[in-house]
């Protein structure tokens, strides 16, 4: 009954293509911070609603803007001159069905702080940030839709599986920087890794902020920068089983000694001075930015997990793609795309498309049918994806 | 000398693929308004700098957030209850090299109003909006780079040419709504067109706000909605030379009469009540959102046109793709991708890639060389693209 | 029945005291602008309520803060660098008794602009100001009281009549500057007059901003400053029938020529650069600041004219004092003071006191009784004062 | 050399007058909170400047606005729905003479939090407040004056000593509520005491917020309210050695049981819901509001302690009045008034006036001369007052 299409493709396999570009913004990047805050607000708001009303009320908190502060950085320290402003927008229901007021603003501000505390070791939201909530009610026309589990927008989601070798390594190097290396080196969380493969040659260009309070002078900065570069190189080479070129902090000015000429931060993020951020401007639900892959421009973070197709269909597409590849050994890669139409039930997309990459020239009809069945199963139960999101069992950025 | 790669592909031609999805947000969509404001600020700031200092100073105004107002809508009118908040972030140089203060905030606020006045017929920025500028100085490390014409970020741009039939028709139907139909029907500018092609069948799902002040009741609303639907159908069928399914305002509730159950606005944009917006969340430099095409997630709008590769490389890629297709009759389509590395000169990308779709099985070496030469020419003179942007000779969203 | 007390005093008559200090902030002073905006909001909100509901709903808009902008001033012009921020606080009812939303924020912002347009000739609220409304609902406990016409606060009002000679002349010189002289000289509205009388000698120290766009250089500035000083001197001497010392712009630095060393403005108010303002920090309901007279610290401007004793009792006291002096030729001066108690009816003050200055040594009992009767009449009908306020028939600052 | 005038008066002694009104807003009243924040900012900024530059730089932080939050109060608890907004305005120097940036905004926000933490036991500035700093640079013309110790404004200060019996008791009862009783009863800090004396009869009308989290129902509320009323009565009667009428929370609605009908707060201040605040709208430097005493309308809190006459002259007047009364046993009361003129040295007021109340009919010439000498000594050394302010040895509100 559902409009499901399964196709095969013979395009060159991603790892065999001559050029590939993959990027990931780390957890402390201003765009990632906004994504994380937006999603945390949606989660906390959803939990509040479930606890007090037994259901999730309509909301979309997928607009958060981070306005950079100002800082005076020196070797050995520095001073924050202006706080980082976090401007929460979005829509939420302000009153429960029984008429009780919902502390929307307080939930949102609290969620933003919780996310920053969990993510950043040297950024104190109370001390360094000024978090304001401008969120209001949604349009009356859209508020109802959440309960009916119909699509609240004409939108689509798309995802592929598995990741390419370069995709994997960019993801893993970023994780390495955000989780492992920060325990060994004086670095912040606002890292960014840009991977490029031209034929067999892989280049990773990394931005890694050092912590001003722990760096006494330019020489020490260089020492650490070299250590970081070598650590990444070793880590990436092991992942990719081939030589990798690694560049760290290419914007540094080699001819100057001043703290302005290198990448130093007080708090671990460039958001403290000069870099703004916004939701939906960074990583996709795969955790990556992949120009040569079909992607959705919808921000998944912050949207309500019940009816917002821009969120649900992206997650569902990734889950279905994974399920197909795991179930069917002769499918090397699956790309799943789902298109909704506003007002129609969530489990009835306008079209659901799986493009499969067979190992070998063609794919057996049975495999196609199996893929269609898997996709059909996932579509039949949107609540499964909702639960994954609510339980934070999937990444969204 | 430049790292230019020209490849051919034999993937199925876009018009021959079984499924295609294309979307465009109209000029009055909150995301498009933010894009337009961001770019207008960059232009006005650039012109101010040129007039007073002879050069464009460092800036990036690619973060603008629109927080929806609140409105009480009735048939025949309504009341704005809360203004639309426009929160301008971004970075600019606040002082000229000779020490004169630059009225950054005033330029930005003025530019935002100018864009809204030019775009929206029923939205008065002075009356309906509250526009605040939070923009500050950039990080010292990045400020200098603008003058040296080196890449200020590790980023990439990518674009294809020509547009597919569906892409063309989505672009054209949106233009038709924003420019022609609003003179004939009581509609606002916040339109959105989602096009889907499954095999030969094309569906256009359109959101078109009607103006509350000009609609007396539900019957009249339906009358206009039908007229709009028919006008789009006729227009699109002529473009596509095939039957098209057109849906307009699918979120309307057919079982209710209240003004809340249909898509009515006072000002022509859903930003007046319930829909927030942000830069870089909508159309790409092609004017479209195209999930099955390689795209950049960088927002072009608002970035400085001198050194920001996220802006320059996207525009340059589109110009080069157009030039290649126009010059080489045996090239059916060109996809150009450029990858920068922060700190390196703009005209020396890490890699420049043209993927060409030959008419016929293969492409002559001469055509490959010609394509490389065209790409090389465009790269050799980034000033050409800068001038196109400054003169508003290219669209950015 | 009312607790009315009439006393006489033999203290020296104000004109006979050796020292007197009187000040008035002109209409363009940041504090006066805030007072004017607050009152205009209360008026416009009251009119909206009357028109839509037939009654005035609870409100208090007596908190408005003006945050100075920033300007770069030159002879012959200058540039506004930062807008003047006007931050409206206060409380209002957001919904009519029948459930219709009240566009509180839009009324408040519109009122602020209307006041600025009516007051300032060179300040354009749309161009130079950023007006935001933070007003919300009041505490539930206080909302009801407006309908019952009981005192909403324990507060008092006090006023005297007639004005002393110095008071009269400060009031009149300020009016002269704000209304007459600005048609003859290139001056703004942010004037301030401080009058001091030591024995018979009167000194008026005046701050009078000149308009930068109309002043070419320091010499021309001095020329105008001298003309202003002479015009004030002539005007004040005529009023006071005695010599007056007049000083204008005493903060000017005589040893410098720069535009920073004199009092120049673009818009006519120091609020454009460096001087903040707030409600209730300037003139009392008499229009003056008079340290040697009993005064209330309550801000009258912006408060609701139905139940707020801090507003009503100050106005009522002045009206009653005037009425007493006009009716009783043997009363040289009346000082009326009214003290409320929260929760008690407005027409039942805790105490109402009239202190009368007889011409001659004592006052006849009949005059005392007549004064008590006049005061009683005014108290018996608070609606009379409410009407005066609503019709703008009395000044409040 | 200084223009000092000493006069005597035979007006009735304050304690002998038939009517007296005296008010004090407690430390948690929104106006007092703003005063306290303003002064704390001035102190912290001054200390920063002294530590880093050896001098106090120009500033005036005498504009702070508190915008009430919103709260849903129940017996036993409640929820904050909207944070309390604290909007800091004012002017400060942003750069040291040697060019180092001063973290103006961070000092101001930190100072506001410090004051709230020190004053309020149940209000957490991080959790309940949203504190923003809009302070900027001052006008160039005024910035210099701080170093020259000339008056930066034409202003005056005035104060009397000693306090009347009623003044003393209002001050002491408020202190008792803010310091002692809050350890015994579940009350907040936002108390207000309005004292009225009509002939010998004294009435104290007190507003005392109870803490919602500690009050289970209306009966318990009444129990505590009665205990508070009795405690005040006992305390006041002892002070005044006469019977006192004490009213507590007169706005309570006796006919209702709901938490809205009584004075309950979560945080101890009405600023959490419905009551805004501003600097300079409450207590004078005496700690009191005294309509029948000469007073200055200048806000002392937040102004710079080096050159702002509106601050210095009020404090200096009080110190001098105290010194005169302490030194001269035949002076029952002294009222000191100082008038500056902008641009003139601080120690050269336009006029300095001491009005003395002799015990007996007249005052000896020697006492007049002694009073003039005491006033002269205080004027000769403005640094003495500056030091008292900087060391927080005097109250300002």
């Amino acid at each position: 009954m559902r409009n499901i299409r399964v196709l095969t493709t013979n395009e060159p396999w991603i790892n065999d293509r001559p050029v590939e570009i993959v990027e990931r913004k780390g957890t402390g990047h201003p765009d990632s911070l906004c994504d994380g805050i937006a999603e945390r607000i949606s989660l906390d708001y959803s939990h509040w609603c479930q606890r007090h009303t037994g259901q999730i009320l309509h909301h979309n908190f997928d607009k958060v803007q981070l306005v950079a502060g100002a800082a005076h950085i020196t070797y050995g320290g520095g001073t924050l001159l202006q706080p980082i402003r976090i401007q929460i927008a979005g829509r939420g229901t302000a009153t429960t069905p029984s008429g009780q007021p919902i502390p929307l603003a307080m939930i949102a501000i609290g969620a933003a702080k919780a996310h920053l505390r969990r993510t950043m070791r040297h950024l104190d939201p109370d001390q360094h940030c000024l978090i304001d909530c401008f969120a209001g009610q949604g349009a009356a026309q859209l508020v109802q839709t959440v309960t009916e589990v119909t699509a609240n927008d004409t939108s689509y989601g798309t995802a592929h599986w598995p990741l390419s070798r370069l995709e994997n390594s960019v993801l893993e190097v970023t994780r390495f920087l955000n989780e492992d290396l920060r325990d060994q080196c004086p670095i912040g969380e606002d890292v960014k890794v840009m991977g490029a493969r031209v034929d067999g040659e892989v280049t990773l260009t990394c931005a890694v902020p050092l912590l001003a309070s722990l760096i006494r002078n330019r020489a020490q900065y260089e020492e650490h920068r070299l250590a970081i570069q070598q650590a990444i190189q070793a880590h990436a080479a092991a992942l990719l089983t081939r030589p990798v070129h690694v560049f760290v902090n290419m914007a540094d000015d080699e001819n100057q000694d001043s703290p302005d000429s290198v990448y130093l931060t007080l708090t671990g993020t460039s958001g403290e001075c000069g870099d703004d951020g916004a939701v939906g401007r960074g990583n996709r639900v795969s955790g990556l930015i992949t120009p040569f892959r079909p992607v959705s421009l919808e921000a998944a973070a912050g949207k309500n997990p019940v009816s917002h197709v821009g969120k649900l269909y992206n997650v569902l597409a990734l889950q279905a793609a994974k399920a197909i590849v795991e179930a069917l050994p002769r499918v090397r890669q699956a790309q799943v795309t789902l298109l909704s139409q506003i007002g129609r039930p969530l489990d009835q997309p306008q079209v659901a498309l799986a493009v499969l990459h067979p190992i070998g020239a063609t794919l057996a009809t049975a495999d196609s049918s199996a893929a269609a069945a898997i996709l059909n199963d996932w579509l039949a139960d949107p609540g499964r994806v909702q639960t994954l999101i609510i339980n934070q069992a999937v990444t969204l950025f």
Side-chain angles (χ1 to χ4, degrees), chain A:
Chain A
M1 293 262 301
R2 289 188 183 86
N3 187 14
I4 294 175
R5 307 284 303 258
V6 176
L7 306 171
T8 58
T9 179
N10 287 312
E11 293 173 23
W13 168 237
I14 184 79
N15 290 333
D16 298 335
R17 294 191 194 169
V19 174
E20 199 185 354
I21 297 174
V22 177
E23 182 183 1
R24 176 161 167 81
K25 295 173 175 174
T27 51
H29 188 283
D31 290 335
S32 303
L33 290 178
C34 289
D35 283 333
I37 288 168
E39 183 59 15
R40 180 87 251 158
I41 296 172
S42 170
L43 286 168
D44 287 2
Y45 179 84
S46 296
H47 292 149
W48 193 99
C49 291
Q50 288 181 317
R51 205 161 52 241
H52 289 78
T53 75
Q55 60 176 316
I56 296 175
L57 299 173
H58 179 74
H59 69 273
N60 279 315
F61 295 108
D62 64 323
K63 298 286 185 310
V64 174
Q65 184 168 272
L66 182 154
V67 184
H72 177 64
I73 304 287
T74 54
Y75 288 112
T79 314
L80 197 63
L81 300 173
Q82 289 283 345
I84 298 172
R85 275 175 198 281
I86 293 170
Q87 302 171 321
I88 299 166
R91 305 290 116 194
T93 310
T95 317
T96 65
S98 67
Q100 189 192 356
I102 304 177
L104 196 55
M106 305 314 287
I107 292 171
I109 294 170
K113 291 184 180 180
H115 178 74
L116 292 172
R117 283 209 186 87
R118 226 190 35 183
T119 311
M120 306 292 292
R121 287 186 305 179
H122 301 276
L123 180 79
D124 175 352
D126 285 328
Q127 194 189 335
H128 300 125
C129 299
L130 203 155
I131 304 174
D132 204 346
C133 179
F134 301 89
Q137 289 270 40
Q141 191 185 12
L142 295 176
V143 169
Q144 286 84 324
T145 56
V146 80
T147 52
E148 302 166 20
V149 198
T150 56
N152 76 336
D153 202 355
T154 297
S155 186
Y156 61 86
T158 189
H160 66 275
W161 191 259
L163 301 183
S164 75
R165 279 197 296 271
L166 182 62
E167 287 167 354
N168 250 325
S169 67
V170 167
L171 202 59
E172 171 54 23
V173 164
T174 315
R175 190 208 59 71
F176 171 70
L177 288 165
N178 272 163
E179 294 176 19
D180 302 347
L181 205 63
R182 73 169 186 176
D183 293 334
Q184 305 156 30
C185 290
I187 63 172
E189 291 83 359
D190 181 3
V191 305
K192 180 172 142 179
V193 177
M194 172 69 82
R197 179 176 57 74
V198 181
D199 300 326
E201 208 169 330
V202 170
T203 306
L204 298 180
T205 308
C206 306
V208 183
L210 277 80
L211 295 169
S213 59
L214 302 172
I215 306 292
R216 283 188 313 274
N217 50 40
R218 177 69 189 247
Q220 202 190 5
Y221 176 90
E222 279 307 323
E223 204 175 290
H224 281 296
R225 198 179 65 88
L226 189 63
I228 294 162
Q229 190 261 337
Q230 288 169 344
I232 296 172
Q233 199 139 19
H235 196 74
L239 287 166
L240 283 159
T241 63
R242 79 174 78 183
V244 185
H245 303 279
V246 172
F247 298 92
V248 173
N249 298 354
M250 288 292 284
D252 291 354
D253 185 338
E254 295 182 7
N255 304 315
Q256 288 193 42
D257 265 359
S258 82
D260 286 350
S261 62
V262 294
Y263 191 7
L264 285 177
T265 68
L266 279 176
T267 63
T269 177
S270 62
E272 75 187 23
C273 186
D275 258 18
D276 306 303
V279 171
R281 295 279 293 266
N283 311 321
R284 303 295 96 186
V285 292
S286 64
L288 295 167
I289 300 170
T290 52
F292 298 132
R293 302 282 205 173
V295 289
S296 161
L297 291 182
E298 282 280 345
K303 293 206 162 100
N304 87 69
V306 177
S307 70
H308 204 297
V309 292
K311 179 171 207 157
L312 285 169
Y313 275 14
N314 275 304
V315 174
L316 201 156
L318 183 55
Q319 296 301 314
K322 279 187 184 180
I324 290 168
V325 170
E326 279 161 18
L328 306 176
R330 278 157 306 191
V331 173
R332 186 155 59 171
Q333 175 185 293
Q335 175 80 38
V336 173
T337 304
L338 308 166
L339 176 66
S340 75
Q341 196 176 45
I342 191 166
R344 279 168 56 152
L346 269 180
D347 62 351
Q348 292 290 347
Q350 195 172 329
V351 62
L353 174 71
V355 178
L356 308 181
H357 229 106
I359 293 173
T362 57
L363 196 68
T365 313
D367 280 345
S368 282
S369 304
I374 291 169
L375 187 44
N376 188 61
D377 283 357
W378 275 96
L379 278 168
D381 184 10
R384 200 168 155 195
V385 174
Q386 292 159 6
T387 305
L388 287 173
I389 294 170
I390 288 288
N391 294 342
Q392 296 172 257
V394 287
T395 59
L396 294 168
F397 58 91

